[in-house]
Amino acid sequence: MANNSDILVIGGGIAGLSAAAELSKNARVTVLEAEEQIGFHSSGRSATMVHYALGDRLVRELTLASRCFFDSPPGGFSDVPLGHRMSVLVHGREDERNQLDALYEELSIFAELERLNEEGVHRLCPLLKAEARHGIADRNGTRLDPHALLQGNLRMLRRNGSRLETGSRVSSIGRHGDAWSATTEGGDTYSAAIIVNAAGSWADQLARFAGVAPLGLEPKRRTIITFDAPPGTDLDRLPFAKTIGDELYFAPESGRLFASPMDEEPSEPCDAQPNEYEVALAAYRMEERTTVKVNSIHSRWAGLRTFTPDRHPAAGFANDATGFFWLAGQGGFGLQTSPAMSQITASLIFGTPWPAIDVSAEALSPSRFLRQPA
Ligand SMILES: Cc1cc2nc3c(=O)[nH]c(=O)nc-3n(C[C@H](O)[C@H](O)[C@H](O)COP(=O)(O)OP(=O)(O)OC[C@H]3O[C@@H](n4cnc5c(N)ncnc54)[C@H](O)[C@@H]3O)c2cc1C
């Protein structure tokens, strides 16, 4: 059976769904998702934060351009808010003071920050040990509701007459005349002039199906545990607290606390599972940097954060295959940059004006990884 659309988006995570929702304003789009549910992999396993202490200037620009979407999504997008305010605290010891000062300079272009002394740090986050002497606070961080974000994009897609097919794992891709055709393991074939590769950790694998050169994507596992907060902790007032070095973050989570040792273990694309070592490391670092005792772990999970070689996302047509569009490498910032990345995708595909984002098409182009040495 042939199913024809204008654009096939492969991957029903936040990258694929947000791009598809935007593209469906001007085209008939079909999203093919391997799993039975959307957001099953990275998009459903994140820390769900929007903040600037992540990535570098380019990532911060994409985050800045995305923020207003989360605060005021388009009419009809969602019946519930896409997130709520949660302060973000980046903290350090005395010997990390210069690093905090430097980060403060970098971030203050993007957010209204407070530079906190020891007293301010402990007032904002009483769980930290006394060694936390310096901090940067952004009172306007956002904790997202990933379910609302994914469902909102799906709702927009459907409202525009486009569709999602779950349980549709693409296992081969071919080119016939001017069109691509993607065949699923179940034997269904879908065709379109344009394929958007939003397959997350599998994006290089998907490119190989189409005979397109891979970008060298690197999936890296990250682990999260949840556990009880000490009795009497005011969870509503706790921030998302992160060490200035990439050692630990923690935040309130559904009446408990969650923490991550900020691990980046290289992995094959897979249904990532937590590893005992990183689970123990999360508990150890929590006890090392805070006064909390992790007596028992309530839940644990892991997900893959997939990076390009320069840790910037890739969005653009492949230069070795007509109509093959890359949307990959969203690393640890794929939720918080999804509105900007989907607008950029629509601009690059339809040739419409570039959105008001201080990032160039060249900086995101997948061709930057494929240039031959002179
Ligand atoms: C622990 C952790 C914490 C994080 N914290 C944050 C955070 O605080 N803020 C933030 O913005 N980001 C965060 N991230 C990063 C964010 O989750 C990712 O950047 C984002 O989810 C990537 O989205 P995606 O759609 O590219 O990938 P995915 O959600 O993995 O979606 C890709 C989809 O493609 C499908 N697929 C693959 N191959 C095929 C095929 N052959 N056929 C059909 N479908 C296929 C997969 O089934 C999958 O559903 C975090 C990630 C982790 C793991």
Side-chain angles (χ1 to χ4, degrees):
M1 179 183 58
N3 296 287
N4 299 323
S5 315
D6 300 317
I7 302 174
L8 272 182
V9 174
I10 301 179
I14 190 59
L17 284 172
S18 58
E22 192 65 30
L23 294 168
S24 68
K25 293 175 184 169
N26 293 307
R28 284 174 307 135
V29 181
T30 300
V31 180
L32 300 178
E33 166 52 47
E35 305 293 348
E36 294 296 340
Q37 70 196 71
I38 59 173
F40 178 80
H41 290 287
S42 306
S43 302
R45 306 179 189 202
S46 91
T48 69
M49 286 300 298
V50 180
H51 68 103
Y52 293 104
L54 192 66
D56 60 5
R57 194 199 66 84
L58 181 140
V59 172
R60 290 180 188 124
E61 292 288 357
L62 293 170
T63 305
L64 179 69
S66 298
R67 280 209 58 136
C68 57
F69 185 96
F70 301 127
D71 289 341
S72 346
F77 188 87
S78 175
D79 300 331
V80 295
L82 295 184
H84 63 272
R85 286 280 173 266
M86 183 179 280
S87 295
V88 175
L89 170 66
V90 184
H91 58 90
R93 302 170 172 133
E94 187 56 41
D95 62 339
E96 292 168 319
R97 178 186 196 140
N98 292 344
Q99 271 173 272
L100 274 156
D101 285 337
L103 186 67
Y104 180 82
E105 288 302 314
E106 278 176 46
L107 299 195
S108 38
I109 310 167
F110 296 94
E112 226 174 87
L113 301 175
E114 289 166 52
R115 182 70 173 84
L116 301 181
N117 60 15
E118 193 176 345
E119 193 197 338
V121 167
H122 292 278
R123 198 177 315 122
L124 181 56
C125 189
L127 300 180
L128 290 171
K129 280 192 179 161
E131 63 180 17
R133 300 279 296 276
H134 299 278
I136 301 170
D138 175 1
R139 308 270 175 185
N140 284 316
T142 299
R143 187 83 191 269
L144 291 172
D145 176 342
H147 181 75
L149 188 59
L150 287 162
Q151 288 297 332
N153 280 302
L154 180 55
R155 187 192 267 194
M156 290 291 118
L157 172 81
R158 288 186 168 143
R159 187 168 290 181
N160 293 334
S162 288
R163 63 183 176 146
L164 163 75
E165 298 291 343
T166 54
S168 299
R169 185 180 303 278
V170 173
S171 54
S172 71
I173 298 177
R175 182 111 184 125
H176 306 284
D178 288 343
W180 290 101
S181 64
T183 303
T184 65
E185 281 180 353
D188 292 325
T189 296
Y190 297 83
S191 60
I194 294 172
I195 278 193
V196 175
N197 178 4
S201 304
W202 291 265
D204 268 352
Q205 185 189 87
L206 198 87
R208 286 193 192 94
F209 290 164
V212 173
L215 301 184
L217 296 170
E218 296 180 7
K220 292 175 189 276
R221 190 177 63 232
R222 177 154 290 183
T223 309
I224 291 185
I225 61 170
T226 70
F227 47 91
D228 286 337
T233 306
D234 187 353
L235 288 168
D236 291 340
R237 293 174 61 95
L238 273 189
F240 172 86
K242 175 191 174 300
T243 51
I244 175 87
D246 284 349
E247 290 152 26
L248 173 75
Y249 62 62
F250 66 93
E253 164 79 13
S254 309
R256 295 191 166 85
L257 293 172
F258 81 64
S260 172
M262 303 189 71
D263 43 324
E264 287 204 350
E265 201 54 40
S267 168
E268 291 300 311
C270 65
D271 179 2
Q273 297 302 318
N275 166 298
E276 277 314 310
Y277 173 76
E278 276 108 24
V279 167
L281 189 64
Y284 173 81
R285 289 199 177 151
M286 193 66 200
E287 295 195 349
E288 184 188 37
R289 305 297 290 250
T290 73
T291 55
V292 178
K293 291 277 163 257
V294 183
N295 294 323
S296 75
I297 292 169
H298 174 73
S299 64
R300 60 194 76 192
W301 69 87
L304 299 178
R305 300 155 77 246
T306 297
F307 294 92
T308 65
D310 64 9
R311 293 176 80 100
H312 289 165
F317 282 106
N319 60 6
D320 55 345
T322 307
F324 188 95
F325 191 94
W326 283 96
L327 182 57
Q330 290 86 345
F333 43 81
L335 295 179
Q336 69 180 36
T337 56
S338 58
M341 290 300 291
S342 56
Q343 286 171 35
I344 284 170
T345 297
S347 168
L348 289 168
I349 288 181
F350 298 130
T352 48
W354 194 250
I357 302 171
D358 194 8
V359 170
S360 70
E362 292 69 39
L364 299 173
S365 169
S367 311
R368 70 192 190 275
F369 303 116
L370 303 173
R371 280 183 202 115
Q372 300 301 318

